[in-house]
Amino acid sequence: MQSQGVAFTCDFESGYADSANWVFANGSNSNPWVLGSAYHAGSGSRSAYISNDGGTSANYSGSAQISYLYREVTFPAGSYILSYDWLCNGESTYDFLRVALVPSTVALTPSTSIPLGFTSTSLPTGWIALDGGSKLNLSTSFQNHTEEFDVATTTTYRIVFAWKNDGSVYNQPAACVDNITLTA
């Protein structure tokens, strides 16, 4: 995937035009990221969310798995602000959304095998939390999160929204994201 410009706003309202800049890394998972209208924040009518029924709902089910939604960005050295709206109910510390900067060299493989170090309060080595340092869940209404971060040298990262569920209890809805803005 070719990296995109540093500053951007994505509200998923333009459908394919918005989603073309994002990778929906779902593999054969039963809870893939989709673009649809089951949930949305603000005045729009679309967002990206996890759905086990092709986008009709933001429901999830099935065995333990992880799916990724990401966009690759080359960051010149500097300070940045990432803002996004999120909604995710999930189950206590087992089903949740994590948001991170991940080096572009890291393989993001959707599967039933959760990456070593990926938990509700920690991330794999080299990943930088953009979610306040902990899971996002237990909310059935959209919340806004804004995170400031620094990049020391020009580096290509992926802005990653990762959904993880453990396959036992399904507290709907799953992860939804909307109105993503990155500013330098």
Side-chain angles (χ1 to χ4, degrees):
M1 173 180 191
Q2 188 174 27
S3 63
Q4 303 296 314
V6 173
F8 69 85
T9 297
C10 178
D11 60 8
F12 299 106
E13 294 305 308
S14 297
Y16 179 76
D18 282 335
S19 66
N21 294 319
W22 294 88
V23 173
F24 291 70
N26 296 314
S28 59
N29 286 351
S30 59
N31 300 315
W33 283 98
V34 300
L35 180 63
S37 58
Y39 280 89
H40 56 85
S43 61
S45 63
R46 302 174 71 102
S47 69
Y49 51 90
I50 293 295
S51 178
N52 64 1
D53 58 15
T56 301
S57 72
N59 290 345
Y60 69 105
S61 59
S63 61
Q65 57 193 271
I66 188 166
S67 297
Y68 305 97
L69 171 67
Y70 67 87
R71 179 175 176 154
E72 199 164 277
V73 178
T74 299
F75 291 91
S79 295
Y80 300 90
I81 298 172
L82 179 70
S83 175
Y84 53 90
D85 293 329
W86 68 274
L87 177 153
C88 179
N89 194 10
E91 177 197 3
S92 64
T93 60
Y94 305 106
D95 304 343
F96 52 82
L97 172 67
R98 292 296 315 259
V99 184
L101 264 181
V102 178
S104 63
T105 56
V106 172
L108 296 172
T109 306
S111 69
T112 56
S113 177
I114 310 304
L116 183 63
F118 188 94
T119 71
S120 63
T121 57
S122 69
L123 291 169
T125 301
W127 293 30
I128 300 166
L130 296 178
D131 53 16
S134 184
K135 65 180 172 46
L136 300 175
N137 72 349
L138 306 180
S139 178
T140 56
S141 62
F142 272 97
Q143 308 293 315
N144 179 267
H145 184 83
T146 300
E147 188 99 15
E148 186 171 341
F149 61 96
D150 295 320
V151 174
T153 60
T154 298
T155 308
T156 302
Y157 284 107
R158 293 178 178 138
I159 297 172
V160 177
F161 293 87
W163 161 255
K164 180 242 177 234
N165 67 275
D166 76 341
S168 61
V169 175
Y170 310 106
N171 295 329
Q172 315 299 348
C176 307
V177 295
D178 203 357
N179 304 320
I180 304 164
T181 301
L182 176 69
T183 56

